[in-house]
Amino acid sequence: METRQPSHRLIWFLRGVLLVAFLGGWEMGARAGFLDPFFYSSPGAILARLFQWAADGSIFRHIGITLWEMMLGFAIGTVSGMLLGYLFARSELLGGVFEPLMALLNAIPRLVLAPLFILWFGLGITSKVVMSLALVVFVVFFATYTAIKEVDPILIANARILGARPRDLTWHVLVPSALTWIFTSLRTSVGFALIGAVVGEYLGATKGLGYLVSFAESMFDATGVFAGLVVMVIVAGGLDYVIGRIETRFSVWKPSR
Amino acid sequence: MSQPVISLRHVSMAFPQHNGDAFLALQDVSLDVDPGRFVSIVGPSGCGKSTTLSLIAGLLFPTDGEVWLEGRRVEDVQTSVGFMFQQDALFPWKTVLGNVMAGLLFRQVPRKEAQERALSWIRRVGLAGFEHHYPYQLSGGMRKRVSLAQTLVYDPDILLMDEPFSALDVQTRDLMENELLALWQELRKTVLFITHDLQEAIALSDEVVVMTAAPGRIKARYPIQLARPRNLLDIRTSPEFEAIYSHIWGDLREEVMASYARSQ
């Protein structure tokens, strides 16, 4: 058995080879006529489309709209998820009544609700924000709820003897403890926020990345669909990078893995 | 004769169990501790030693009997005591300084003063230079020093210590015990120290209380008349120490065996 770790450089090299082989094969297949460009498009055509979108600036408007919907959905979903999680975890009565309801709602595949949200909230950004927050709120709610329910009782006992009033207990013990869980679920919830916004746009909108893809589809424009997907991947990758930076900034007290 | 600062009067404590029965952890325990004394409670595991401390601190309330602290009945969590837990009780998201300051800030001490007092205690427990480290960056012994500073910084008159050093390796533990004793010699606080280690109890204390296997009752109390100040690194080999040890061990042994037999 080979036990030596493969070097970083080798891994990156092989990744490059794979990418070039895939794109090259695709491009050549399209040019040679193995792959019908009408159905499969080609990397060159997709790249050209991306440049065109960038040149006329239209793509940035769509990205901007999607990000804006996503951020609103994320912000509202996170804040309400935290508040609900905190309330339900701290109050036996509220928790007892509502926790099963939250679990039940969480079991509904919310993407199916998207057409209803569009019906209720229209084709504008509201329906996308609602879709996005409907996905985020549960992730954050359960993270907060579990964090507060499972905070080490020794820490609470210690804080109380040290003189913590209920307010101190919230800010010095419960919130920091919950934040670590929420940060752990941050990647998931940001991903969900993006999915919510895009799916909402896909089903009915006049702007945004989801709309772009759905419009291209309705025109049987495979190049437009692929170009839209590439933009989504770039946006998602960029968000992931930003979150990674935020995570390292805020969880300094955690041992680095 | 001065008033006892800690007073348990016929205290019993039962915990409900899953099967509906009650588990009797403490049965009719009465104990007085005079101010400035260092008293240890030893007993087999599961004899209610820790429960006793929680009752005194007002983290739990007895099923029967009364707990008095500094002339007042314990009916709420007692912020006038210092409590050192067996487990790690530091806030992992706070630095050493943040952890040591916490009690002062909770007590509305102005931030600047709190910081100065915390820094001076951090130096005193030998952690100068580690003010901005997080608990995960410290060794077990260092974390215990932070706990000690966190507890002593607000100057409680009574220290309740629940097997504080049991998780440490033997050498670190000896050192920590020695330092604790030196601090106590200087500060003269009342200490109630829980341990399952009879040697530790004798070496540190003015009095050793032996508890029975569950339900915990007080089996016997032994005054320890070893001269002070003591050097813990030498004391254990003195013939006097050994005589006391074998005397108390006779009593404790029965309880340990009883507890062990029950757990089989």
Side-chain angles (χ1 to χ4, degrees), chain A residues 62 198 201-202 204-216 232:
Chain A
H62 291 298
V198 168
E201 290 165 357
Y202 183 82
T206 52
K207 290 183 282 264
L209 292 176
Y211 160 75
L212 205 60
V213 169
S214 135
F215 179 75
M232 281 182 205

Side-chain angles (χ1 to χ4, degrees), chain A residues 151-152 154-165 167-169 172-174 176-177 180 252-256, chain B residues 57 59 76-79 81-83 85 87-94 102-103 105-108 134 136 150 154:
Chain A
V151 60
D152 189 351
I154 297 287
L155 285 187
I156 294 187
N158 194 23
R160 290 178 68 206
I161 290 177
L162 290 175
R165 294 150 295 170
R167 195 167 52 116
D168 297 319
L169 216 52
H172 291 264
V173 183
L174 300 178
S177 164
T180 61
V252 278
W253 59 270
K254 260 185 161 171
S256 51
Chain B
L59 292 171
D76 195 358
V77 68
Q78 299 298 301
T79 54
V81 302
F83 200 114
F85 293 84
Q87 305 92 327
D88 215 346
L90 296 176
F91 307 113
W93 42 80
K94 287 183 187 291
L105 294 182
F106 295 158
R107 287 153 206 265
Q108 331 273 324
Y134 286 89
Y136 81 90
Q150 185 182 54
Y154 57 87

Side-chain angles (χ1 to χ4, degrees), chain A residues 238-251:
Chain A
L239 285 170
D240 207 53
Y241 175 77
V242 172
I243 295 158
R245 297 298 298 264
I246 294 174
E247 271 176 347
T248 23
R249 167 74 190 77
F250 277 92
S251 46

Side-chain angles (χ1 to χ4, degrees), chain A residues 88-222:
Chain A
F88 292 0
R90 293 293 279 167
S91 154
E92 298 272 334
L93 180 67
L94 287 176
V97 174
F98 286 107
E99 204 272 338
L101 185 67
M102 293 298 279
L104 197 74
L105 287 176
N106 189 37
I108 299 173
R110 263 140 290 141
L111 292 181
V112 177
L113 298 178
L116 276 181
F117 287 157
I118 289 171
L119 202 62
W120 296 341
F121 302 107
L123 292 175
I125 75 162
T126 316
S127 55
K128 287 77 191 173
V129 173
V130 171
M131 187 67 229
S132 175
L133 87 84
L135 289 173
V136 170
V137 72
F138 288 93
V139 178
V140 176
F141 168 79
F142 284 106
T144 312
Y145 186 80
T146 325
I148 289 177
K149 277 282 179 193
E150 312 223 320
V151 60
D152 189 351
I154 297 287
L155 285 187
I156 294 187
N158 194 23
R160 290 178 68 206
I161 290 177
L162 290 175
R165 294 150 295 170
R167 195 167 52 116
D168 297 319
L169 216 52
T170 299
W171 289 109
H172 291 264
V173 183
L174 300 178
V175 169
S177 164
L179 275 181
T180 61
W181 282 68
I182 289 165
F183 272 120
T184 318
S185 62
L186 198 64
R187 259 163 219 263
T188 322
S189 48
V190 168
F192 275 11
L194 184 62
I195 291 172
V198 168
V199 167
E201 290 165 357
Y202 183 82
L203 291 176
T206 52
K207 290 183 282 264
L209 292 176
Y211 160 75
L212 205 60
V213 169
S214 135
F215 179 75
E217 256 173 29
S218 68
M219 296 281 147
F220 299 102
D221 172 14

